[in-house]
Amino acid sequence: MKTLAFAFLIGLFIAFPIFAQSDNEQAVRNILINLNDAIQERNVGKFSQWANLNDTVREEWKNILGTGEYAQYPIKNYTIRSVKIEGEKATVRVFWERIDAKTGKDLIEYGRNHRIFYFKKIDSVWKFAGIPTAENELISQIMRADSDDERQIILRAERELNTHQALFVIIFRMRNEGNLAEVDHYLKLAEWYGEEFFKKTDELRYVNNLVNVLNARAANQKTLGNYAEAMRLYLEAVQASSDILKKAGRPIGGSFLTFINIGGLYLNQGNLDQAERFATLALEGLDGTPRERQPVLFYSLYTLRGDIYYRRGEDEKALESYRQTKDSISFGTGVIYLKQGKLTEALKVFQYFADITERSIAKNEQIDLPGSVESFSGLTEIYLRQGETEKALKVARRAVEFAEKSKNPELIYLARTMEGKALLANEKPLEAENAFRLAIETVETGRQKIIGGEESKISFFENRVEPYQKMVKINIGRNHIPTALDFAERAKSRVLNEILQAGRIEWQKVLNETDKQKEQSLREKLTELNRLQTVLKYQAEGDQTRLETVTKQIEQTRLDYEFLQTSAFANYAELRRARGIGTTINQAEIAGLIRQPNEALLEFAVSDDQIYLFVATKDKSGKLNLQVYPLDGRTPEIIDLANDYRQRIIEKNTDYKETARRLFDVLFQKASMQLTGKTSLTIIPEAQLWNLPFAALMTPENRFLIETKTLKFAQSLTALKELQNIKPNNAKVTGSLLAFGNPRLAERNISQVRGQYRSDIGDLPEAETEVLGLQKFYGKTSKILTKSDAREDVWKANAEKYRVLHLATHGLANSIKPLYSHLFLAADSGKSNEDGLLEAWEIMNLRLNADLVVLSACETAQGRANTGEGLIGLAWVFAVANVPRVIASQWKVNSVATTELMIEFHRQLKSSGNSSIAKSLQIAMRNQLPKASFRHPFYWAGFIAIGKS
């Protein structure tokens, strides 16, 4: 929300005495001359003599004249252009000739050099009333006009001013008020203006006007949540800017506005890297531009950068950016203070903007709807934290009022969520449920309008799961356990479920030839850069400077590729067709997942303050028994305990048993009666619980959990159901096992040290032994490749032909960009189009026919524990690629121990017709325990079985 500037004292009426004049116009002129002389001289004493300022306003003018606008751009001369006397009111147009104090050059501007002095006669005495810019007066005239004909007359008469900019100010105001129909009306007027005054005489300004129109139309679509159409219009604006840049040799201001707006669109979808990329493009383009020449652009730019840093958790950078907006109070600072728990400071900020809204309403003035929603929502959160629930509900309903008027789904989601929280705090669960349902409706609708691929949908949903979590709580409170579980499921693995139900969108196939060439060129560039980065990163004596340069080039190329994908969804209508909302599992289907009486399904639902454990079992008659257990302790405490335990295991700390026992009690003790006799557990973790080594928890009998229970994991119950239904193309399957072990990169200058862990590049002789040892289990239809033969291009060419895929290699998880997690395979010295990095996004594009993938590498079960989707990484993408079962690791595993564990796992899987990966892994782990050197959980507890049995 823009701060109200006091510099021109708009609307402030200051009385002062004047000499009686018989001629009203001359009297006004005399007063005006004295005021202008005082301003020109920057003499607050002289100004005060004529204005009779009170102490507060005098101090303000002292600052304005001393260090503010008039100090930076002093007035060299002034001209009175016109004086109008209308009854008891007078309006005087003044033109100021100004200079830049730093450079001494003339300041050539439009509206800011044209000022309107207002006067009002009170008790027969003329009184000074304020100094807006002439453009502000022009805006008022345009909006008061009764027809477009009248508006066109006004616009033609005011060519001395920056009249087309005035139209865009009106458009901005109308959009902020939710009056989108009027926005469209004024956009047509702006188009007329460009055609009328610029097209034949000033091509640069004509294109700039066109770009501004396109940006405004896109902003309308963004307001309505139509992201694809918004991006299409932004791309059209980018093209127009690019064309005129090539022709005129210099950029137009509208191009930087487009970059900022595209960055804002990406921010809405949760893509912070792309948002920052376009913010940086705008910042670089505006370098050297005086801020006062483009105040709106700079305000928007620094607000966007602040929002990006805030979302990343970089609070200090965010605060610095918000302060760069140059507002006396920035809304963004209030958001940061709230996050940091500084409620007093946050309250001052949100109350400041809320008061502006209320004053504007009282005066029947225009209000900023987005800012109003955000400020009243911020107040709601503060009052809730302070326990003032009635106040919270009152301001939450104000936020809803403004949000509904705005028609903006993002604002409606925010306001309805805050309303629901306030109603819940006021013990009105039925009304809260309605508010949360309305918030959820906006999320579900918005998800269908996201542009881009799977990662875009994941990012969008990540910060919008709170109403789902609250619905879990409400329904548990009402003992509606099936409904509570349904909402828990709706907040998990949504993208994976929809892919499994409807298939992936293969966006590359719809591209025209030009875009196909761009896509291929970018992929080839990534291959070349990845190959070079690997050499630089792992050679004996690395060139750190060059490595940093290549790494930056990789990041830029990835962003270029991602932008091409986004552009495709905006430009190709077939990619924008609604795909429908995936369905969640029902009770009958849940019961169908429990095939034996000893099985139990356990799903965790994590919110900010509470963790729930849903448990589904069958009784002796085969009837489904679905219960829920609120865990003891607040969410942060439980997560901290889980993280502490994981760290103890990774560090091979021997002091872990007490924590392991305590965690078992916290997670399972309440459900112990229902779990009695259940020896096969399917666990659905959430958030950081995905990182917990459940197998190494200690039971009350001081035994590891894996000793008495088989453990299997899934992204959600719905995903587990869908994985059961995967149907491979058996006609393409010709072999039993494809195993790659100890791949060796061909570059001779890479250090070939022996690798103890399957993370850093090095020779892995145990991995080679591991895959060679599997042949005896799978026979002649297996294919085993090692060292230089274990190439990426060979794996891709053969992977769809085998029932089991086993990869014993180095692995690297990327927790920030999980789809760039990768497995190292051999590269063919640049002879193929592969770089030796089998990346997660590449796997996602495959259609495999394997029943099982074993990822015998480091951190293959790692990635990003994404709120709303689960753990995104290598294990996740194999499910997308049509593989129903995966064995993966949670940390950097020891190579020797892993080889023994993996060989034993396959022995168990193939013996006695045992096809359960969970049971086979359990036996393999238990067989490690008697070995003194491998008894510590570090050596065996890091592997988990994910997917169907």
Side-chain angles (χ1 to χ4, degrees):
M1 181 186 292
K2 261 309 231 181
T3 308
L4 294 184
F6 54 74
F8 309 124
L9 302 184
I10 299 175
L12 179 64
F13 294 89
I14 306 171
F16 60 93
I18 64 168
F19 298 104
Q21 298 285 340
S22 57
D23 185 337
N24 285 327
E25 180 177 336
Q26 187 59 48
V28 169
R29 281 179 176 271
N30 288 341
I31 298 169
L32 185 71
I33 289 169
N34 282 287
L35 286 172
N36 267 286
D37 286 346
I39 294 172
Q40 187 177 6
E41 296 168 14
R42 293 163 49 206
N43 186 332
V44 71
K46 187 174 182 179
F47 189 91
S48 302
Q49 178 184 354
W50 288 97
N52 274 347
L53 305 177
N54 63 40
D55 290 342
T56 300
V57 178
R58 175 188 170 86
E59 191 62 29
E60 291 175 355
W61 270 100
K62 182 179 180 182
N63 292 331
I64 293 169
L65 295 174
T67 60
E69 176 189 353
Y70 302 108
Q72 297 172 33
Y73 304 101
I75 300 169
K76 182 171 63 175
N77 201 359
Y78 67 88
T79 305
I80 298 175
R81 291 290 178 87
S82 64
V83 179
K84 292 182 181 179
I85 307 294
E86 297 175 332
E88 303 293 302
K89 295 180 180 180
T91 304
V92 184
R93 168 79 67 84
V94 175
F95 175 73
W96 287 334
E97 296 176 46
R98 309 172 79 180
I99 60 172
D100 187 322
K102 289 183 180 178
T103 64
K105 294 181 179 179
D106 289 341
L107 183 67
I108 302 172
E109 286 204 6
Y110 290 87
R112 296 188 63 217
N113 285 350
H114 291 261
R115 296 299 169 94
I116 302 293
F117 280 70
Y118 288 144
F119 296 90
K120 188 174 183 180
K121 184 179 275 190
I122 301 176
D123 296 330
S124 300
V125 178
W126 286 106
K127 296 182 179 180
F128 169 63
I131 318 174
T133 65
E135 279 181 344
N136 284 344
E137 173 61 21
L138 173 63
I139 288 167
S140 298
Q141 289 182 44
I142 293 171
M143 296 182 70
R144 289 195 302 265
D146 295 326
S147 68
D148 278 348
D149 288 343
E150 187 178 341
R151 293 185 183 97
Q152 290 177 7
I153 291 170
I154 294 170
L155 290 167
R156 284 192 175 97
E158 292 286 10
R159 291 297 313 286
E160 189 178 30
L161 301 182
N162 203 358
T163 45
H164 69 292
Q165 290 284 3
L167 288 174
F168 287 105
V169 172
I170 296 172
I171 288 165
F172 178 79
R173 290 182 183 178
M174 291 292 183
R175 185 168 61 249
N176 272 10
E177 285 197 320
N179 195 343
L180 302 187
E182 282 297 301
V183 168
D184 191 61
H185 178 82
Y186 279 102
L187 280 171
K188 291 176 182 176
L189 198 59
E191 285 180 320
W192 164 83
Y193 192 95
E195 295 282 338
E196 183 80 6
F197 299 112
F198 297 151
K199 190 170 185 179
K200 294 181 180 179
T201 60
D202 192 336
E203 186 180 13
L204 203 66
R205 294 183 72 187
Y206 172 73
V207 174
N208 198 54
N209 186 72
L210 173 64
V211 168
N212 286 334
V213 168
L214 289 168
N215 270 277
R217 290 198 188 285
N220 259 22
Q221 295 301 317
K222 179 185 169 187
T223 295
L224 294 169
N226 298 327
Y227 297 131
E229 180 61 12
M231 181 60 83
R232 188 191 67 76
L233 290 163
Y234 286 140
L235 292 175
E236 194 176 329
V238 168
Q239 186 61 55
S241 299
S242 177
D243 291 343
I244 196 65
L245 173 62
K246 291 175 183 176
K247 190 171 183 178
R250 64 186 180 92
I252 56 175
S255 62
F256 309 127
L257 173 65
T258 308
F259 292 153
I260 294 168
N261 287 338
I262 291 176
L265 184 59
Y266 273 119
L267 180 71
N268 271 33
Q269 296 194 163
N271 191 330
L272 305 186
D273 290 343
Q274 288 285 13
E276 184 174 33
R277 175 196 187 189
F278 280 93
T280 301
L281 285 172
L283 186 65
E284 291 172 349
L286 289 167
D287 185 39
T289 302
R291 290 183 59 132
E292 56 279 353
R293 299 290 297 272
Q294 296 286 357
V296 175
L297 279 184
F298 277 101
Y299 176 85
S300 302
L301 173 59
Y302 284 109
T303 298
L304 172 61
R305 285 167 62 86
D307 291 345
I308 293 167
Y309 290 133
Y310 164 72
R311 292 278 290 275
R312 281 190 176 144
E314 299 179 78
D315 292 355
E316 290 308 311
K317 283 187 175 181
L319 285 171
E320 178 60 27
S321 288
Y322 290 137
R323 289 169 184 145
Q324 287 287 327
T325 62
K326 301 298 185 183
D327 272 357
S328 58
I329 295 180
S330 169
F331 180 84
T333 59
V335 177
I336 298 291
Y337 293 145
L338 185 57
K339 177 185 174 184
Q340 295 175 338
K342 299 177 180 178
L343 300 189
T344 302
E345 292 89 337
L347 179 62
K348 289 178 182 177
V349 174
F350 294 131
Q351 191 63 60
Y352 173 82
F353 291 113
D355 289 345
I356 291 174
T357 298
E358 298 294 9
R359 286 198 300 270
S360 297
I361 292 172
K363 295 178 181 180
N364 198 29
E365 295 175 347
Q366 294 174 329
I367 63 172
D368 176 4
L369 288 177
S372 299
V373 174
E374 291 169 338
S375 56
F376 282 97
S377 295
L379 288 174
T380 304
E381 184 65 33
I382 291 170
Y383 291 142
L384 286 174
R385 294 190 192 184
Q386 292 176 336
E388 299 185 67
T389 58
E390 291 184 4
K391 276 187 177 181
L393 183 56
K394 182 179 179 181
V395 294
R397 283 177 167 157
R398 291 289 277 160
V400 168
E401 175 189 341
F402 300 129
E404 292 294 344
K405 186 178 180 182
S406 76
K407 305 178 183 67
N408 185 328
E410 288 291 309
L411 298 177
I412 293 170
Y413 163 78
L414 173 63
R416 288 296 185 183
T417 299
M418 297 310 301
E419 180 191 31
K421 291 169 68 174
L423 287 163
L424 207 55
N426 281 276
E427 299 182 354
K428 297 180 178 181
L430 291 178
E431 292 180 60
E433 184 174 7
N434 183 60
F436 289 131
R437 285 188 185 276
L438 290 170
I440 287 170
E441 282 179 17
T442 66
V443 176
E444 298 295 345
T445 302
R447 288 186 74 249
Q448 302 309 302
K449 296 180 179 181
I450 291 302
I451 47 174
E454 287 75 16
E455 194 168 15
S456 295
K457 283 194 172 185
I458 291 169
S459 299
F460 175 81
F461 195 54
E462 185 172 9
N463 296 301
R464 292 170 174 83
V465 297
E466 188 174 18
Y468 297 86
Q469 294 171 343
K470 296 301 183 185
M471 290 295 281
V472 171
K473 181 176 182 177
I474 289 172
N475 283 282
I476 288 174
R478 296 164 60 188
N479 202 33
H480 291 179
I481 299 173
T483 304
L485 178 59
D486 180 65
F487 278 103
E489 280 286 299
R490 289 174 66 182
K492 284 186 174 70
S493 67
R494 292 296 299 278
V495 174
L496 177 59
N497 294 341
E498 288 166 10
I499 292 172
L500 293 173
Q501 290 174 16
R504 290 192 67 242
I505 299 175
E506 298 180 346
W507 64 277
Q508 298 94 334
K509 290 186 177 181
V510 307
L511 302 180
N512 60 32
E513 285 306 313
T514 300
D515 285 340
K516 281 181 180 177
Q517 289 175 9
K518 287 181 184 177
E519 194 268 344
Q520 182 178 349
S521 175
L522 287 169
R523 278 194 291 110
E524 289 174 353
K525 185 177 180 181
L526 271 176
T527 297
E528 180 184 346
L529 289 169
N530 280 337
R531 186 183 286 119
L532 179 57
Q533 183 193 49
T534 302
V535 174
L536 292 170
K537 189 174 183 180
Y538 296 109
Q539 64 187 1
E541 296 181 4
D543 184 338
Q544 189 62 34
T545 301
R546 193 178 178 202
L547 174 60
E548 290 175 0
T549 299
V550 170
T551 301
K552 288 179 181 177
Q553 289 174 336
I554 288 173
E555 290 302 317
Q556 182 62 47
T557 307
R558 286 174 176 175
L559 290 173
D560 289 341
Y561 189 85
E562 191 178 75
F563 183 63
L564 177 64
Q565 182 188 50
T566 304
S567 302
F569 276 82
N571 289 326
Y572 294 91
E574 52 266 58
L575 294 177
R576 299 201 301 270
R577 295 192 186 102
R579 292 167 54 80
I581 298 173
T583 58
T584 52
I585 196 168
N586 59 43
Q587 288 194 74
E589 291 167 330
I590 293 172
L593 293 176
I594 306 172
R595 296 176 181 176
Q596 300 295 331
N598 68 325
E599 294 179 355
L601 306 175
L602 294 79
E603 176 164 333
F604 291 93
V606 179
S607 64
D608 289 342
D609 58 349
Q610 179 71 65
I611 298 179
Y612 299 98
L613 173 62
F614 292 90
V615 178
T617 56
K618 283 183 179 178
D619 60 23
K620 293 179 180 179
S621 66
K623 183 180 178 182
L624 180 67
N625 180 18
L626 178 62
Q627 301 295 330
V628 64
Y629 305 92
L631 303 188
D632 290 332
R634 297 180 64 253
T635 298
E637 297 165 355
I638 297 173
I639 296 299
D640 285 346
L641 184 63
N643 289 338
D644 174 64
Y645 181 57
R646 169 187 165 82
Q647 197 60 34
R648 287 171 186 261
I649 298 302
I650 291 175
E651 293 173 354
K652 291 181 272 192
N653 192 322
T654 57
D655 182 22
Y656 64 83
K657 291 186 179 179
E658 183 180 344
T659 306
R661 179 75 177 82
R662 184 179 166 199
L663 259 175
F664 179 89
D665 286 345
V666 169
L667 298 177
F668 300 121
Q669 185 58 44
K670 281 193 170 183
S672 60
M673 289 293 294
Q674 189 177 357
L675 293 175
T676 299
K678 308 304 177 186
T679 58
S680 178
L681 307 182
T682 298
I683 299 174
I684 317 293
E686 190 171 10
Q688 296 304 312
L689 291 180
W690 267 106
N691 297 323
L692 178 64
F694 281 88
L697 297 180
M698 303 293 291
T699 68
E701 297 76 29
N702 286 321
R703 301 181 71 188
F704 291 115
L705 183 60
I706 199 65
E707 293 185 75
T708 59
K709 313 285 186 186
T710 62
L711 303 178
K712 181 182 68 180
F713 296 83
Q715 292 85 355
S716 68
L717 291 175
T718 305
L720 184 60
K721 177 200 71 172
E722 296 300 331
L723 290 171
Q724 311 284 341
N725 299 328
I726 282 181
K727 295 178 180 179
N729 186 346
N730 292 321
K732 290 188 176 183
V733 178
T734 59
S736 57
L737 169 74
L738 177 65
F740 277 35
N742 193 23
R744 182 169 297 165
L745 297 176
E747 285 79 1
R748 294 179 180 178
N749 57 344
I750 292 182
S751 175
Q752 292 296 332
V753 297
R754 187 183 186 284
Q756 180 183 3
Y757 302 104
R758 296 186 181 181
S759 53
D760 296 328
I761 288 293
D763 194 37
L764 294 172
E766 293 84 13
E768 193 169 334
T769 301
E770 178 180 319
V771 295
L772 291 172
L774 299 182
Q775 195 162 29
K776 60 187 175 184
F777 303 131
Y778 292 91
K780 295 180 180 179
T781 58
S782 62
K783 186 172 186 175
I784 313 295
L785 295 174
T786 64
K787 297 182 180 177
S788 332
D789 294 327
R791 301 200 315 267
E792 181 184 5
D793 59 322
V794 175
W795 190 88
K796 287 181 177 177
N798 287 273
E800 68 173 6
K801 304 173 186 177
Y802 290 86
R803 190 67 70 196
V804 176
L805 304 174
H806 186 105
L807 289 153
T809 180
H810 299 287
L812 187 63
N814 188 328
S815 60
I816 298 173
K817 299 287 285 185
L819 294 185
Y820 292 109
S821 300
H822 58 263
L823 297 166
F824 284 97
L825 298 178
D828 193 15
S829 300
K831 294 178 182 178
S832 76
N833 290 324
E834 304 297 350
D835 50 28
L837 304 183
L838 182 58
E839 294 183 294
W841 69 270
E842 295 179 288
I843 296 167
M844 218 166 65
N845 290 328
L846 301 175
R847 175 80 177 179
L848 302 174
N849 300 297
D851 180 60
L852 168 65
V853 169
V854 179
L855 301 176
S856 182
C858 284
E859 302 179 316
T860 49
Q862 290 299 287
R864 186 177 74 222
N866 182 287
T867 303
E869 187 62 27
L871 194 67
I872 311 298
L874 288 163
W876 185 87
V877 296
F878 272 106
V880 173
N882 206 48
V883 179
R885 307 191 296 176
V886 177
I887 298 290
S889 64
Q890 294 181 301
W891 52 72
K892 293 181 179 180
V893 295
N894 176 273
S895 189
V896 176
T898 297
T899 291
E900 291 197 18
L901 184 70
M902 289 294 101
I903 290 176
E904 184 61 20
F905 164 75
H906 282 280
R907 177 184 291 112
Q908 294 299 326
L909 188 65
K910 298 300 290 184
S911 67
S912 304
N914 178 22
S915 62
S916 169
I917 61 170
K919 186 65 176 178
S920 298
L921 186 60
Q922 178 196 26
I923 296 172
M925 287 181 171
R926 288 193 314 202
N927 288 345
Q928 293 282 76
L929 294 179
K931 303 172 185 178
S933 57
F934 296 147
R935 179 169 175 77
H936 192 282
F938 166 79
Y939 294 101
W940 51 265
F943 282 94
I944 59 174
I946 306 173
K948 74 177 188 179
S949 297

